[in-house]
Amino acid sequence: MVHKKLRFPNTHNIDDLLKILKSVDLESASALEKTAVLSDYAIAFSYPDAAKEELTIEKAKELVRIADEALKLILDKLNEPY
């Protein structure tokens, strides 16, 4: 979003950020939809009392995979001509 010079709020809510991204890059926003699940965990680990469920090792591995895929997509986008 910074690369595209979009203004966005300070938030842990990835859904909110994806809505803004959709206005200029629907393809990337759609590809990043799976990352919305990460919002709950960002909040839970910033504020431990906010955790909705116990984090298992299996769930942690799934979340890391989702984050890794998102990072790769974002890095690829940053390497494209603007």
Side-chain angles (χ1 to χ4, degrees):
M1 294 174 70
V2 170
H3 183 65
K4 293 192 174 285
K5 298 181 177 152
L6 292 177
R7 295 191 67 158
F8 54 92
N10 292 332
T11 181
H12 291 294
N13 190 318
I14 294 172
D15 275 330
D16 290 346
L17 297 172
L18 289 173
K19 287 175 187 171
I20 296 167
L21 182 60
K22 282 180 184 179
S23 69
V24 296
D25 190 346
L26 183 58
E27 180 183 342
S28 292
S30 295
L32 291 168
E33 280 183 354
K34 289 188 279 184
T35 63
V37 70
L38 300 173
S39 294
D40 289 340
Y41 295 93
I43 294 166
F45 290 103
S46 296
Y47 311 98
D49 292 345
K52 295 179 181 177
E53 63 184 58
E54 187 175 329
L55 183 61
T56 65
I57 196 76
E58 293 81 18
K59 185 66 173 183
K61 286 179 181 180
E62 175 189 352
L63 296 170
V64 168
R65 182 187 54 74
I66 290 169
D68 189 48
E69 288 175 5
L71 178 61
K72 288 176 185 171
L73 183 138
I74 292 164
L75 290 173
D76 286 346
K77 285 289 184 180
L78 289 174
N79 287 320
E80 290 178 0
Y82 184 65

